Every structure is written in C-alpha cells, then in structure tokens.
Amino acid sequence: KAGVTQTPRYLIKTRGQQVTLSCSPISGHRSVSWYQQTPGQGLQFLFEYFSETQRNKGNFPGRFSGRQFSNSRSEMNVSTLELGDSALYLCASSLSLAEAGELFFGEGSRLTVL
Amino acid sequence: QKEVEQNSGPLSVPEGAIASLNCTYSDRGSQSFFWYRQYSGKSPELIMSIYSNGDKEDGRFTAQLNKASQYVSLLIRDSQPSDSATYLCAGANTGNQFYFGTGTSLTVIP
C-alpha cells in the first residue's frame, strides 16, 4: 500500500514568488491535513480538508491556501513568499476526520525562501 | 497559550532505563491524545493513542492520561538506542483541531 506522497521534496524560491505543493494521500483516506514544521515553532496546523471541504484552518495569514480534489489529492499554495515561510511542509492523511484517526505523514516538502 | 506544552529537553537516559516524557494541554474539553515519534530528517509516526483516563500499554510503551490534571505522559521501558528521537505529544481540541507540542528530544545512551 503506497504511503502519502508529497511533491516536490525540495524547492527554492525567492521572496514575492508563489509556490504550490502537492499531496497524494493513502488510497481510501479522505482527510488531508497540512502542517508547517520549523525548528522554533514545531508542527503548526495549517488546514484540514475532508471530502473536498476545508474543515479547519490554523492561525496562518490568507497567503496560505489549499484545496482538495475529488480523488482526495490536495494542494496548498503560498503566495507572496516571505523569508519566514522557509520550513518543512508536511501533509498527513487519515481514514476519517483527523481528530479521530491516526495521521500518516508524507516525507514533506522542504521550502527555502531566499 | 499553546494548546499542548512539552518540555523540549533534551532528555538523556542510559540504555535499559525508563524514559518519561510529559505533556500538558490547555483545552479541558480535549478528548483524544496521541504520541508521535520523529527521527531526525524523517516524518512523524504514530506510536500511541489514548482516549480514557488511566494507562494504556503497548509493548515497551505506556501512555498515561489524567484529564483532571490535563496531563499526558509516555513511558518507554527498557530504552534502546533506537528510541532516540523527538517525541511529539498531540491532541484534538473541542474545535476539532489537531495540535502538536513542540516535541521532546530523547537520547538513549548505550
């Protein structure tokens, strides 16, 4: 059974650019959550999608957005990149709603903003 | 106030000892709690979940939950060098959001 797949694994952008990250959940999983991980702040919740609907959103500015497609694949977008957006972005999928189920994480997309 | 607070450590224990990792949470209505392990350069993986007051044992791992004190802990018995990792406490609050602590770094010394 394939795990959670995130692409790209590494990317470098400059300030002001925008980036789109992709996440393919485990087959059959309908919930996809996104997290930002930095050394100082740990894992911070960005948002969760379930059946193409955003269920929850963390405390991030509107520059961070996401969506989920009918096949449960999800994308997140960050516009007008800032230096502070440099982080590891982790996607996690779960069979049911995230708070009730086990989260399976992808390898992450490491974003560097110069 | 963070939803989940952990002592960042680092925590060092000798091989074979018991490692004790602790976590407190702020939302008294939170119902479910999880411990994830993250090896350096890897993604978090679930090792324990606990929903009721008391202890839950799984092999060398025991999770403890005390809702009155809003306290969650993880005990690792017979610690092995392969247990060296960062341990993340996580919970789901009444807003149905899933929050992680900043993690406790554990080193098991051979």
Side-chain angles (χ1 to χ4, degrees):
Chain A
K1 193 175 187 180
V4 178
T5 304
Q6 291 189 246
T7 56
R9 292 289 314 280
Y10 303 92
L11 63 166
I12 300 174
K13 295 285 187 178
T14 56
R15 280 179 298 174
Q17 288 187 307
Q18 67 97 27
V19 65
T20 298
L21 308 178
S22 178
C23 172
S24 292
I26 292 172
S27 178
H29 284 196
R30 297 167 63 191
S31 173
V32 174
S33 302
W34 289 89
Y35 292 86
Q36 181 194 66
Q37 188 171 37
T38 57
Q41 297 295 318
L43 270 168
Q44 291 189 285
F45 173 74
L46 280 157
F47 25 65
E48 180 196 0
Y49 288 88
F50 184 83
S51 295
E52 301 179 66
T53 301
Q54 186 181 87
R55 288 191 64 246
N56 282 302
K57 191 177 193 308
N59 189 25
F60 278 82
R63 299 185 296 108
F64 292 81
S65 63
R67 59 178 174 170
Q68 186 180 34
F69 302 96
S70 58
N71 62 357
S72 294
R73 189 177 71 85
S74 178
E75 289 181 347
M76 67 162 282
N77 184 77
V78 188
S79 62
T80 319
L81 284 165
E82 301 177 358
L83 295 178
D85 297 332
S86 295
L88 178 67
Y89 290 88
L90 288 164
C91 164
S93 77
S94 63
L95 190 61
S96 59
L97 296 173
E99 75 274 9
E102 174 180 346
L103 296 182
F104 293 84
F105 284 87
E107 301 259 3
S109 294
R110 185 165 294 282
L111 170 65
T112 301
V113 182
L114 302 176
Chain B
Q1 181 185 10
K2 288 185 180 290
E3 298 277 347
V4 174
E5 299 269 8
Q6 290 183 259
N7 185 331
S8 62
L11 174 66
S12 295
V13 299
E15 185 174 354
I18 295 175
S20 178
L21 305 161
N22 305 309
C23 166
T24 58
Y25 60 94
S26 59
D27 186 341
R28 189 169 284 278
S30 295
Q31 296 296 316
S32 48
F33 301 91
F34 308 84
W35 283 98
Y36 282 77
R37 177 177 61 200
Q38 187 173 24
Y39 291 115
S40 180
K42 299 293 186 183
S43 300
E45 57 178 339
L46 180 70
I47 53 173
M48 291 284 290
S49 59
I50 187 164
Y51 303 93
S52 305
N53 271 330
D55 296 358
K56 178 182 178 183
E57 187 174 317
D58 184 1
R60 296 186 295 111
F61 298 93
T62 299
Q64 300 174 317
L65 173 59
N66 183 326
K67 291 187 177 181
S69 301
Q70 296 177 241
Y71 180 88
V72 188
S73 66
L74 178 71
L75 300 178
I76 306 174
R77 291 182 301 280
D78 187 23
S79 295
Q80 301 297 309
S82 59
D83 294 326
S84 297
T86 296
Y87 289 81
L88 303 166
C89 174
N93 66 13
T94 50
N96 291 331
Q97 291 186 337
F98 202 88
Y99 284 96
F100 284 84
T102 53
T104 299
S105 175
L106 171 66
T107 300
V108 180
I109 304 166

